[in-house]
Amino acid sequence: MPQLEYYPRLYVSEGINREKLEKLKRDLASRPHKAEVFLLTLPENASDQLSIYESKYLRQKYYDRHPLYVIGIADGYPEAVDIVEQIVREAWAARGDARLREYLKAGMESADVELGIENT
């Protein structure tokens, strides 16, 4: 089974409501073969900003051993690109740059503070 961890402020395309999102998460954890569902993740290498995967690729055994940190879920590739554009606009407005990793990590830390989780 693929190892997936979700961003506390998960970006979700418009076509996915809360009920559908919870079902998608369960399905992705147990049988990741949903057609036209795309995941935006933090990339494994330090040079990229974000990665976009079609969920069917999570069937590969590699993802059982290499967890993905999911930033967003989209119900199609164009919607995934829209989410990337949204994140870039937010980062630019908040920081004045397009360093998405740093922007998203700051979002993780602020969500931890809101939830009362201490960084150790």
Side-chain angles (χ1 to χ4, degrees), residues 20-85:
K20 184 176 178 183
L21 175 62
E22 294 309 315
K23 183 177 182 326
L24 269 174
K25 285 181 176 181
R26 286 191 305 274
D27 288 350
L28 290 171
S30 61
R31 53 185 199 283
H33 60 277
K34 293 291 191 184
E36 292 299 310
V37 172
F38 288 80
L39 305 177
L40 288 82
T41 69
L42 289 180
E44 292 183 23
N45 65 54
S47 63
D48 291 338
Q49 295 284 331
L50 290 174
S51 296
I52 300 175
Y53 293 94
E54 189 167 6
S55 66
K56 68 182 178 183
Y57 291 108
L58 297 179
R59 287 184 281 180
Q60 298 173 18
K61 297 257 185 244
Y62 174 85
Y63 297 107
D64 293 347
R65 298 179 312 274
H66 297 86
L68 291 175
Y69 194 85
V70 180
I71 299 299
I73 298 178
D75 59 350
Y77 186 79
E79 289 80 6
V81 172
D82 289 345
I83 291 173
V84 171
E85 290 174 358

Side-chain angles (χ1 to χ4, degrees), residues 84-100:
V84 171
E85 290 174 358
Q86 176 186 348
I87 295 169
V88 170
R89 283 191 302 274
E90 289 175 8
W92 188 264
R95 300 172 45 97
D97 63 33
R99 293 190 314 229
L100 304 184

Side-chain angles (χ1 to χ4, degrees), residues 10-23:
L10 187 67
Y11 290 86
V12 180
S13 66
E14 289 183 21
I16 300 175
N17 61 31
R18 179 176 284 290
E19 188 176 298
K20 184 176 178 183
L21 175 62
E22 294 309 315
K23 183 177 182 326

